[in-house]
Amino acid sequence: MALKRQRSTESEGKTTNTKIRCKGDAVKLITKHLTRDGENPSTSKAVAAVSEVAKKHLTVALIDRSNPLGRIMQEQWKVVEMRLLKALFTKIDADPSRRMPTFDGAGWFSGVKIIKCKDDPTVMWLKQAVKKLQGLWEGASLEIVDRSCIPTIPKAKVQIPRTVNPEYGLKLLQRQNTDVPTDDWKVLKVA
């Protein structure tokens, strides 16, 4: 006996037909294309998701390369912000008819300033303007990077049995995480 194929569950998308009664008892057949999970791909959720992905590169981070984690202090940001505003006003005065850089907001993430730009020319202007900033504070090395490039603290993980001597546990942690600088670590507390 041959088994019947279930094409509707095998394919990525599926098509459903719906009958709608119209004036004069005429029946109109509407075909809907659905994705695997039953959602219509042209819904506003799908369009919004695509739009958000397309705009993701417009959210950038201002990092200080002189800090291992790229962080800048709030007071330092105020200095940078004023210098960027001055550069923006200089651009306005130079050619008032040209399109100006526009921003969609700013915030903080792990001590790093996050800036949302409205468009690609704004991102390009911001990168160039930050490169030109000089004499901010000693050792300042500012750069605009993609938000995904924010430096992070390395995390060390190790499975230690409860009966292990704490010093052996530390040695195990150091040997299993060779990419983490653990030479000066010591056990502070055993729970």
Side-chain angles (χ1 to χ4, degrees):
M1 185 187 298
L3 295 174
K4 186 175 178 182
R5 285 180 56 191
Q6 297 294 320
R7 289 186 198 155
S8 62
T9 58
E10 291 174 4
S11 63
E12 281 294 316
K14 92 179 175 185
T15 305
T16 59
N17 293 326
T18 306
K19 292 181 182 179
I20 298 178
R21 291 222 171 252
C22 298
K23 288 183 181 176
D25 291 337
V27 176
K28 185 177 179 183
L29 186 64
I30 297 178
T31 303
K32 250 187 187 179
H33 296 282
L34 302 174
T35 60
R36 183 171 236 172
D37 59 355
E39 289 286 323
N40 185 346
S42 63
T43 61
S44 60
K45 271 197 270 182
V47 171
V50 169
S51 176
E52 287 303 313
V53 169
K55 290 181 181 179
K56 207 169 204 173
H57 73 282
L58 298 176
T59 301
V60 294
L62 174 69
I63 62 170
D64 185 359
R65 292 282 183 196
S66 67
N67 181 303
L69 298 176
R71 295 179 176 168
I72 63 172
M73 307 295 253
Q74 296 246 355
E75 297 80 33
Q76 294 169 331
W77 164 246
K78 289 177 184 177
V79 172
V80 172
E81 184 179 32
M82 292 310 295
R83 298 283 285 284
L84 288 173
L85 279 172
K86 187 176 179 181
L88 189 60
F89 293 144
T90 302
K91 184 175 173 79
I92 290 171
D93 291 341
D95 190 359
S97 62
R98 287 184 65 190
R99 185 177 172 150
M100 296 310 302
T102 53
F103 301 92
D104 199 20
W108 291 92
F109 177 75
S110 298
V112 175
K113 189 65 179 176
I114 304 296
I115 303 168
K116 292 183 180 181
C117 302
K118 286 247 186 188
D119 51 25
D120 289 320
T122 300
V123 173
M124 295 307 296
W125 175 84
L126 186 60
K127 286 180 180 182
Q128 293 300 317
V130 167
K131 280 182 185 177
K132 293 177 184 175
L133 295 178
Q134 299 294 321
L136 296 169
W137 57 88
E138 188 178 335
S141 177
L142 300 183
E143 186 180 350
I144 296 292
V145 298
D146 188 73
R147 184 177 179 191
S148 63
C149 297
I150 295 173
T152 58
I153 299 172
K155 296 179 182 176
K157 297 178 183 178
V158 65
Q159 294 289 334
I160 302 175
R162 292 181 196 165
T163 58
V164 170
N165 178 330
E167 295 306 317
Y168 284 123
L170 178 60
K171 286 181 183 179
L172 184 62
L173 180 100
Q174 290 170 331
R175 295 293 302 267
Q176 289 184 346
N177 296 281
T178 56
D179 57 329
V180 179
T182 59
D183 295 336
D184 58 347
W185 288 16
K186 55 185 163 187
V187 177
L188 297 178
K189 180 180 176 183
V190 177

